[in-house]
Amino acid sequence: DRGRDISIVHSDIGDISEGDVEFAYTTNSRILALHVKTERNAELLAKDRGVEIKSFDVIYHLIEFIEEILASKKVEKVWKRVGVLEVLKVFHIKKVGVVAGCGVKEGVISRDSKVVCIRNGKKVGEGKIRSLQREGKAVKEVHAGYECGFVCDAFSDWEVGDRVEVLAQVEEVSE
């Protein structure tokens, strides 16, 4: 039953950080953790934002929890805007491709996010982020207020001033 699928919006290793909580909040997701701790500031932010963090020490308990969700709720996958960027500069780099140098205006951009290019109020292209960098280093995400550069897999016709909407596939749960 496709209406009962669960989407994994993001997975990672290591303790749960404020960035993880912020991403869960932005994508209306919950955090399920196995054999990791939650940083104190992340706990406080989760409480403030209303983000559910479920920690498990035994994988079977995690599986049972997911099975309970599947049995009791219908889950629909939807694309939700989780960030907005503005293209500040475009770089053509041999063997890499076209890099869109952007300022993150709101939300968060993550590697493997879907991006949509809006120019003069119209959608002109879209694709998936193949590579994301901040200050010359590969990163998994960049938050509002920072600059980054990314390469997109299916679109490269960026222009200065383009609005870039960052989308993540999230689950909407109904009873």
Side-chain angles (χ1 to χ4, degrees):
D1 181 4
R2 299 290 303 155
R4 294 183 118 113
D5 289 348
I6 291 181
S7 295
I8 299 173
V9 179
H10 180 72
S11 65
D12 206 349
I13 59 172
D15 291 344
I16 299 168
S17 69
E18 290 177 85
D20 297 324
V21 172
E22 193 65 44
F23 186 77
Y25 173 74
T26 305
T27 59
N28 194 29
S29 302
R30 67 181 75 180
I31 297 174
L32 303 180
L34 180 65
H35 294 294
V36 296
K37 296 176 182 170
T38 303
E39 295 173 0
R40 181 68 181 138
N41 287 343
E43 282 180 30
L44 296 172
L45 183 60
K47 187 173 183 176
D48 182 54
R49 299 276 192 173
V51 172
E52 179 184 2
I53 299 175
K54 289 289 265 182
S55 295
F56 301 90
D57 290 326
V58 179
I59 194 163
Y60 300 111
H61 295 160
L62 171 61
I63 292 169
E64 288 170 356
F65 179 78
I66 293 171
E67 287 173 343
E68 288 174 18
I69 292 171
L70 289 172
S72 67
K73 301 182 187 276
K74 291 196 176 198
V75 179
E76 182 182 348
K77 293 179 185 178
V78 295
W79 287 99
K80 181 179 179 185
R81 189 177 79 191
V82 295
V84 176
L85 315 174
E86 180 184 351
V87 176
L88 304 174
K89 192 162 185 176
V90 179
F91 305 92
H92 297 272
I93 302 175
K94 289 181 184 178
K95 298 183 183 179
V96 172
V98 178
V99 176
C102 298
V104 182
K105 299 298 180 192
E106 62 183 69
V108 62
I109 181 173
S110 298
R111 190 175 48 230
D112 297 325
S113 293
K114 180 178 176 181
V115 290
V116 176
C117 178
I118 308 293
R119 186 176 300 143
N120 300 322
K122 295 181 183 175
K123 176 181 165 183
V124 294
E126 67 180 62
K128 190 174 177 184
I129 294 177
R130 203 175 65 210
S131 170
L132 177 64
Q133 293 198 353
R134 181 168 177 270
E135 296 178 349
K137 296 179 183 166
V139 294
K140 65 179 182 176
E141 63 186 27
V142 180
H143 293 266
Y146 293 97
E147 292 182 355
C148 64
F150 69 86
V151 176
C152 181
D153 68 352
F155 183 75
S156 61
D157 187 29
W158 302 104
E159 292 182 7
V160 172
D162 284 346
R163 175 185 168 93
V164 181
E165 294 188 353
V166 182
L167 307 173
Q169 196 170 36
V170 298
E171 60 185 40
E172 281 192 354
V173 180
S174 60
E175 298 297 324

